[in-house]
């Protein structure tokens, strides 16, 4: 099953670093947060990725083009025609397709643009700036059992996000609204399971996936929810980045489930 990662936004709330690189390439423990996300999915056996690029997407392409160099010892032999020998190859069992989905394209438009790489198969989708210890097997099982068009992972953080109204009995999303001060409701954390039919809900580049497509699914009772009670963190600000780095440097990062 393919994993689609949205990695094309401007990252304006963490502009201290995003003016130099796309937000998913900002490092946590000397590795891009994009790498952390991919390692997490790969630990569950999902090794094929489609990365939707936009802002400074060439940085992501160059990272994977030179991936061996980031974790291996290398000999550059200029006495023999400039050959390069890679030692202790730090390879991954990954197939990575990096797609330029446009600078100003909205999230729905980015998903629409990679339709040809998905075909008629279900796929996973997440954002390129959030990590957690979501049970991906349980998410997949919930999606299959309910038979919805899409299933998103919901969490209950404090703070600044728009919230979801849920039908607790049917595990369905029934609406979206802005977060009020007194709210302790659920928010969309990404980590979604989608059927290929979701492409029919997206009009084009100007469509924000979190708006019209998901709202139309709620109206039709086709947007399911998987409730995650564990760790989740989105890297929106330098403060968020500092919290993630603290976890990583402590050796107790909740999302590090690989050996």
């Amino acid at each position: 099953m393919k994993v689609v990662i949205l990695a094309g936004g401007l990252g304006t709330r963490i502009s201290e670093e995003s003016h130099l690189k796309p937000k998913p390439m900002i490092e946590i423990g000397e590795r891009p947060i994009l790498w952390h996300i991919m390692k997490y999915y790969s630990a569950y056996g999902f090794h094929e990725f489609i990365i939707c690029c936009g802002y400074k997407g060439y940085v992501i392409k160059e990272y994977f083009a030179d991936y061996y160099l980031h974790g291996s010892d290398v000999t550059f032999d200029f006495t023999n025609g400039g050959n390069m020998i890679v030692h202790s190859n730090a390879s991954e069992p990954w197939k990575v397709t990096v797609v330029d989905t446009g600078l100003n394209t909205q999230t729905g438009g980015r998903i629409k643009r990679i339709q040809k790489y998905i075909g008629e198969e279900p796929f996973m989708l997440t954002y390129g700036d959030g990590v957690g210890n979501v049970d991906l097997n349980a998410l997949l099982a919930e999606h299959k059992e309910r038979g919805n068009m899409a299933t998103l992972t919901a969490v209950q953080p404090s703070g600044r996000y728009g919230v979801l109204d849920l039908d607790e009995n049917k595990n369905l999303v029934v609406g979206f609204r802005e977060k009020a001060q007194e709210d302790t409701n659920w928010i969309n954390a990404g980590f979604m399971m989608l059927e290929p039919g979701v492409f029919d809900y997206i009009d084009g580049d100007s469509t924000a996936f979190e708006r019209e497509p998901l709202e139309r699914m709620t109206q039709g009772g086709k947007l399911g929810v998987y409730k995650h009670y564990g760790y989740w963190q989105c890297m929106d600000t330098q403060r968020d980045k500092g919290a993630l780095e603290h976890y990583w440097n402590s050796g107790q990062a909740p999302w590090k489930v690989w050996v």
Side-chain angles (χ1 to χ4, degrees):
M1 183 177 293
K2 299 179 180 70
V3 180
V4 177
I5 303 177
L6 295 170
L10 297 177
T12 53
R13 284 186 284 187
I14 193 168
S15 59
E16 301 94 331
E17 297 197 45
S18 64
H19 74 286
L20 297 173
K21 63 185 74 171
K23 187 178 178 184
M25 294 303 294
I26 295 175
E27 295 178 345
I28 304 298
E30 300 184 349
R31 295 277 194 168
I33 192 170
L34 178 63
W35 176 87
H36 291 264
I37 294 167
M38 294 172 70
K39 287 287 285 187
Y40 187 79
Y41 274 91
S42 190
Y44 277 85
F46 303 106
H47 306 307
E48 187 167 355
F49 300 92
I50 300 171
I51 302 175
C52 301
C53 294
Y55 174 69
K56 295 187 181 295
Y58 64 88
V59 176
I60 297 177
K61 292 178 181 178
E62 290 173 354
Y63 176 77
F64 288 106
D66 295 332
Y67 188 81
Y68 287 149
L69 302 182
H70 297 289
S72 304
D73 298 330
V74 184
T75 297
F76 299 96
D77 186 356
F78 297 108
T79 66
N80 189 24
N83 291 332
M84 181 180 75
I85 304 171
V86 179
H87 310 282
S88 305
N89 193 340
S91 62
E92 305 282 358
W94 297 346
K95 179 180 179 181
V96 184
T97 302
V98 184
V99 183
D100 183 358
T101 55
L103 179 61
N104 298 311
T105 309
Q106 295 294 315
T107 50
R110 296 191 191 282
I111 297 167
K112 186 77 169 180
R113 286 200 186 195
I114 55 88
Q115 182 175 3
K116 64 181 179 181
Y117 298 104
I118 296 295
E120 296 300 320
E121 301 176 359
F123 62 101
M124 290 189 164
L125 172 74
T126 197
Y127 300 105
D129 61 357
V131 292
N133 57 358
V134 177
D135 186 334
L136 298 179
N137 291 330
L139 167 62
L140 181 56
E142 171 71 21
H143 179 74
K144 289 181 176 179
E145 179 182 350
R146 301 285 179 174
N148 290 308
M149 181 63 67
T151 302
L152 59 79
T153 297
V155 298
Q156 289 182 301
S158 60
R160 56 193 181 273
Y161 304 95
V163 302
L164 308 172
D165 289 323
L166 305 183
D167 182 327
E168 301 285 353
N169 295 323
K170 297 181 180 179
N171 264 15
L172 288 175
V173 180
V174 295
F176 299 84
R177 58 190 166 84
E178 293 302 311
K179 186 177 179 67
Q181 188 67 34
E182 66 276 8
D183 270 326
T184 57
N185 290 63
W186 301 86
I187 71 160
N188 175 14
F191 292 93
M192 306 181 206
M193 265 299 311
L194 306 175
E195 295 298 317
V198 299
F199 294 114
D200 296 334
Y201 288 80
I202 302 170
D203 293 330
D205 284 357
S206 62
T207 303
F209 188 63
E210 300 78 9
R211 300 298 300 177
E212 295 91 344
L214 292 187
E215 288 171 355
R216 284 171 57 198
M217 290 181 212
T218 66
Q219 294 165 7
K222 296 181 179 179
L223 180 58
V225 63
Y226 171 72
K227 296 177 184 176
H228 175 57
Y229 295 92
Y231 179 82
W232 175 82
Q233 178 65 57
C234 179
M235 188 184 66
D236 267 345
T237 65
Q238 281 290 340
R239 181 179 179 182
D240 296 335
K241 179 180 184 293
L244 292 170
E245 290 222 287
H246 173 75
Y247 268 120
W248 184 259
N249 294 334
S250 72
Q252 298 178 347
W255 66 91
K256 188 184 182 302
V257 296
W258 60 90
V259 178

